[in-house]
Amino acid sequence: MKKENNNEILANLKLGQETFSRNIGLSKQVYFGLTYEDITRYTGIPQPTMLSYDKYGVSPYISVAKQIAQLYCLDLDTLCNKDIGFYKVEQLEMLKRFVGRVGGNYGNIRERISAWIEEQLSINEFGIYEELCGQLKAEIARLNKEEHAVEINREEKVAENFTRNFNNLHKNLGISYRKLSSALDISIGNLTRLKKGGEPMLETVIKLSAFFGVSIEQMISDNPEFNYEYVLQEVGKFNNRFGEIPPEDIHVYNHKKANLLTKEQAKELVDELLN
């Protein structure tokens, strides 16, 4: 029974890596309209390597995973734990950050969406989000066509931070490598390698963050602010948490879809969202 329970836990933890691959593929193609050549221009990651991450589920090193998250203007916890295709509000923020970073033109977007508002007989709040996302995607397409880009470099500090944080968690909680190895299906040899500064793959950090009950970003932060008493309690709950992906929250979606706006209110909302 214990082995079956552990297999279920590991299967659920694997969802984090699968969600990451699905989200970065979705972001590349649907939200940002990037080609693999574009991604190489931004990050230096070779096209076949990026293809292996988003199409075939290969786990990148944690510093590369963080670099990809920065490309898409998201944190790793969101990329690994959420179906971002559902969240229009979050998509809008991603697109705004991307356009702003590359020096896009918000003035043209305002003019186009104002003209669109004047043509509508009925406008709801969700429709504004959808139209704004569409306009931002069009601006990104223009920028990509003109080969605008900023360098998003791989930060070695991410791996260094992980090593320090992992060793601090291990030391302060007094959890043996044998227990970690058994719970997470990570070999003791690999855990020893991590202790000595070896860089982990994203899938390993997902497992360890779930075990300790901390975020992925905390595991790679230069100031994680661990509450060790709380973390020890979370470790005790690990077998009941199963590393589950949180359920989607449809409340915000339904609210925005039903909230009707006047044309003046719609234009005010656009100004608010683009400022």
Side-chain angles (χ1 to χ4, degrees):
M1 177 66 79
K2 183 177 180 182
K3 185 176 180 180
E4 290 178 1
N5 189 49
N6 196 52
N7 288 340
E8 186 176 353
I9 293 170
L10 293 172
N12 277 276
L13 289 175
K14 189 178 178 182
L15 289 175
Q17 171 63 45
E18 293 172 356
T19 302
F20 173 82
S21 295
R22 182 172 64 251
N23 279 339
I24 65 173
L26 192 66
S27 296
K28 176 189 78 70
Q29 185 173 354
V30 178
Y31 301 150
F32 297 103
L34 300 175
T35 64
Y36 289 115
E37 290 87 348
D38 293 327
I39 292 173
T40 300
R41 195 167 66 249
Y42 276 92
T43 65
I45 299 173
Q47 296 174 45
T49 303
M50 193 66 193
L51 180 67
S52 73
Y53 298 151
D54 67 11
K55 295 293 185 186
Y56 303 113
V58 174
S59 184
Y61 281 109
I62 189 61
S63 61
V64 177
K66 181 62 179 177
Q67 185 183 17
I68 293 169
Q70 289 173 332
L71 169 67
Y72 294 134
C73 306
L74 287 171
D75 59 71
L76 278 172
D77 290 282
T78 298
L79 277 175
C80 295
N81 293 311
K82 250 194 219 180
D83 181 0
I84 61 174
F86 184 85
Y87 293 89
K88 276 292 177 187
V89 176
E90 196 157 72
Q91 289 174 35
L92 179 63
E93 290 305 314
M94 290 164 59
L95 294 166
K96 282 169 55 182
R97 288 192 289 267
F98 194 100
V99 169
R101 179 175 61 191
V102 188
N105 191 326
Y106 281 145
N108 290 341
I109 294 173
R110 278 192 174 90
E111 288 178 11
R112 290 195 297 267
I113 199 167
S114 291
W116 175 84
I117 288 170
E118 290 299 331
E119 295 172 354
Q120 305 309 302
L121 298 177
S122 175
I123 308 169
N124 61 51
E125 188 174 352
F126 186 76
I128 293 296
Y129 278 83
E130 282 195 314
E131 182 62 20
L132 260 180
C133 284
Q135 293 292 349
L136 287 163
K137 289 174 189 177
E139 183 67 8
I140 290 171
R142 181 186 71 80
L143 294 165
N144 288 338
K145 188 175 181 180
E146 296 176 3
E147 296 192 351
H148 289 256
V150 294
E151 286 188 19
I152 301 170
N153 297 313
R154 182 176 174 181
E155 297 178 19
E156 297 303 328
K157 192 176 180 183
V158 167
E160 295 173 9
N161 289 343
F162 168 83
T163 299
R164 183 184 64 253
N165 294 336
F166 171 62
N167 286 333
N168 284 341
L169 285 165
H170 178 246
K171 176 183 175 181
N172 284 281
L173 299 178
I175 296 170
S176 69
Y177 283 164
R178 185 176 299 278
K179 181 174 180 178
L180 276 173
S181 177
S182 176
L184 301 175
D185 194 29
I186 303 173
S187 71
I188 292 176
N190 193 20
L191 291 170
T192 302
R193 182 184 71 83
L194 297 180
K195 176 184 178 180
K196 294 179 179 178
E199 183 173 358
M201 299 294 194
L202 172 64
E203 61 183 356
T204 299
V205 182
I206 291 171
K207 289 179 178 181
L208 289 168
S209 68
F211 182 85
F212 291 119
V214 300
S215 70
I216 299 169
E217 291 288 344
Q218 274 183 290
M219 291 294 296
I220 60 175
S221 170
D222 57 3
N223 185 26
E225 298 183 342
F226 293 133
N227 180 330
Y228 291 106
E229 183 178 344
Y230 169 81
V231 172
L232 191 58
Q233 291 174 357
E234 290 299 300
V235 170
K237 300 175 187 175
F238 174 68
N239 286 336
N240 295 320
R241 281 190 281 115
F242 298 105
E244 291 178 351
I245 304 301
E248 303 295 355
D249 180 2
I250 64 171
H251 174 72
V252 172
Y253 174 91
N254 287 334
H255 169 73
K256 292 187 181 300
K257 195 167 184 179
N259 189 14
L260 292 177
L261 304 174
T262 66
K263 291 182 179 182
E264 191 60 38
Q265 288 172 330
K267 290 177 181 179
E268 288 176 359
L269 178 59
V270 169
D271 286 338
E272 179 184 333
L273 291 173
L274 287 181
N275 283 335

